[in-house]
Structure formats: C-alpha cells, structure tokens
Amino acid sequence: MTDHTRFAGHGVLVTGAARGIGAAVARRLAQEGGRVLVTDQDLPEAERTAASLRQQDLIAEALACDIADRASVEAAVAHAVAAFGSLDVLVNCAAHCTPDVPLFEDDPDDAWARDLDVTLTGAYRCCRAALPHLAASGRGAIVGIGSVNGLQDFGNHAYSAAKAGLGSLTRTLAGHAAPRGVRVNLVVPGTVRTSAWDGRDDELAALRAFYPLGRVGEPEDIAAAVAFLASRDAAWITGTTLVVDGGLTAVNTGFHLAVRRP
Ligand SMILES: NC(=O)c1ccc[n+]([C@@H]2O[C@H](COP(=O)([O-])OP(=O)(O)OC[C@H]3O[C@@H](n4cnc5c(N)ncnc54)[C@H](O)[C@@H]3O)[C@@H](O)[C@H]2O)c1
C-alpha cells in the first residue's frame, strides 16, 4: 500500500531515472510526497518521465546528469538542494553493463574500466557529493541498487565485480555516515523486466523457471523496497543489503528439480 506522506517535503535525487527501475523509484517516492529530481544521461527521456509525474500532480523535475562525470554529479546535487530546499534521499540507480565476450582473455580494457567507472565509481561520486547535504537534512538516506550478479555468477565479469563492490561501499559508508545521521543501504534485484531486456522476451520467459515465486520482477517490486529503506520505517536499518529476487539466490531450484520428494 502506498503511504502518501512518508516522503512529504523530502528532496529526492534518483540517478538513471529516465526509465526502468529508476523511473519506478522516482514515481513511487513522488507518489509518497517526495520532490524528485529525475536525473539521467538521457535528458529527453528524463524530461518525459518527470512530465508524466507532473501530469499526476506529483512534484518532479528532470536534469541531465552523467554519473561518470564528477562536475555533472555535483551540479545535480546542487540543483536538487536549490530546487527543493534540502536533499534527504539519494537513490543510485544508473549502471553500465558490457556483455561478456566469448573468451575472457579477449576482454577489452575499456569495457572493464567503463563498467567499474559508471556502476561502482559513479555511485561513489554521487554519495560523496550528496553526503554533506544528507547529513544536514537530519533524515538523510542513501539507497543503492546492486544486483544478484554481485552475489553469484550470472556472467558479466566487470559489471558483477562493480555490483559486489557496491555491497562493500554500502557497509563502509554506513559506518562513516551513521554518526552524521545518514543511513546507507543496498537493494539487490534479480531479473527485472525493463528496457535492459528489450527484444529478449524468450530469455525472460525461460528465466521464470529459475524464480521460486514464479515470475521475474517488475520495476515496482524494486521501487517498493527502495521506498521502505529510504523511509522512516527503516529508521534503525543501515549498512544492509536487501535481496529482492523472488527467491532466486536463496532457493536452489536446480536441486529441487533433481530431487523428487513424496
Ligand atoms: N533489469 C534488471 O534485470 C536488473 C537486475 C539487477 C539489477 N539491475 C540494476 O537496476 C538498475 C536499473 O536497471 P534498469 O534495468 O532499470 O536499466 P535501464 O537500462 O532500463 O535504465 C538505466 C538508466 O540508466 C541510465 N544511465 C546509464 N548510464 C548512465 C550514466 N553514466 N549516467 C546517468 N545515467 C546513466 C540510462 O540512460 C537509463 O535511463 C541498474 O543499476 C541495474 O544494474 C537491473
């Protein structure tokens, strides 16, 4: 159920919010009263997302922000503070994933560097720029978006290493930020139906079999978990990783298929 007050008056910045999970997070936090800066490297799509929120009488603005660029990130944080009066919630959603080449030894340097620079260092840049403002808010919260790729092997070496790194950054930053009144947590999704899977409907359908709860995720499944961790309902939760994956990593589906029980 949506609580329309949990983020009343909160300034919210979401990266990678033009589409997919980021857009669902922006919508959910706006529906709960947040004033949301929809940032993305794709400004036209970010503007469309923010406009659709405003059409529902929600508070949202769009801004171009490339999380691989320190100045761009700092400008986005400054914009949120100026526009909303405070920055209370940062959601790090933008990421980059380069598909693996068939042979590991043929991996190009730039693919590894790009995935790490956007997915891990990009989130770090956003946390660094936002932290003083989140500390000033008195109710600051950071929620990162990891991936089950950071927990188990699902391919994509660099992306997976970056996502695993986000778990560590979440814990070390939680320790640093707790005395400053800021909570830091990570949501770890399994497969979620977004544009990242466009044109791969057959694969998505086949993946259902690996999910004990019988389906892949929808962006709203992840947005609900983000909203919880960012809200006062999670006031005593920091440094944690919340896996939102329909049971994928907890339940050994292959084992259960092989072992017949009465
Ligand atoms: N979809 C899934 O199955 C899945 C599973 C696990 C984790 N995730 C994670 O969820 C998050 C969102 O994924 P999604 O499926 O919604 O992706 P998506 O491709 O639908 O959207 C990602 C958005 O990030 C933006 N972006 C990419 N690089 C950027 C940069 N340098 N600066 C700013 N914006 C940038 C893109 O323009 C895009 O709008 C990512 O962190 C992803 O790793 C997704």
Side-chain angles (χ1 to χ4, degrees):
M1 200 170 66
T2 307
D3 175 341
H4 293 280
T5 64
R6 278 200 301 189
F7 298 103
H10 285 54
V12 176
L13 192 162
V14 187
T15 71
R19 54 176 66 75
I21 292 170
V25 167
R27 186 165 57 248
R28 176 77 192 234
L29 298 191
Q31 284 168 343
E32 295 203 29
R35 304 158 180 208
V36 180
L37 189 60
V38 175
T39 74
D40 203 285
Q41 65 181 3
D42 179 350
L43 181 59
E45 196 58 33
E47 278 174 338
R48 270 189 285 277
T49 298
S52 83
L53 297 181
R54 287 195 298 272
Q55 275 164 11
Q56 300 163 55
D57 289 331
L58 304 174
I59 302 172
E61 281 188 30
L63 190 75
C65 175
D66 176 0
I67 65 163
D69 182 282
R70 179 176 182 164
S72 179
V73 166
E74 288 176 351
V77 167
H79 186 106
V81 174
F84 305 139
S86 66
L87 180 60
D88 304 285
V89 176
L90 166 68
V91 182
N92 287 317
C93 204
H96 190 269
C97 179
T98 307
D100 285 338
V101 293
L103 274 181
F104 182 73
E105 54 269 43
D106 293 337
D107 260 359
D109 280 355
D110 57 342
W112 176 270
R114 180 72 182 160
D115 283 11
L116 267 289
D117 190 42
V118 176
T119 306
L120 178 57
T121 313
Y124 159 78
R125 281 185 196 98
C126 295
C127 293
R128 187 176 56 185
L131 190 58
H133 303 286
L134 295 169
S137 105
R139 55 188 180 190
I142 297 174
V143 183
I145 305 293
S147 168
V148 290
N149 282 56
L151 305 178
Q152 281 185 17
D153 165 37
F154 295 102
N156 299 323
H157 317 292
Y159 172 79
S160 300
K163 290 296 190 182
L166 286 176
S168 176
L169 176 64
T170 299
R171 290 183 288 275
T172 58
L173 190 54
H176 173 83
R180 300 168 71 180
V182 178
R183 297 179 302 103
V184 188
N185 291 292
L186 187 70
V187 171
V188 168
T191 307
V192 180
R193 188 189 308 279
T194 68
S195 65
W197 289 90
D198 275 356
R200 299 167 69 188
D201 287 349
D202 290 352
E203 279 173 74
L204 272 184
L207 285 176
R208 259 180 49 186
F210 291 87
Y211 282 86
L213 289 179
R215 64 174 176 86
V216 299
E218 300 297 332
E220 291 71 22
D221 293 315
I222 309 307
V226 170
F228 165 66
L229 286 174
S231 78
R232 59 177 180 258
D233 291 329
W236 205 48
I237 301 177
T238 197
T240 199
T241 289
L242 176 56
V243 180
V244 183
D245 71 348
L248 174 73
T249 52
V251 179
N252 193 328
T253 309
F255 180 88
H256 287 291
L257 285 174
V259 177
R260 233 176 241 284
R261 293 202 173 82

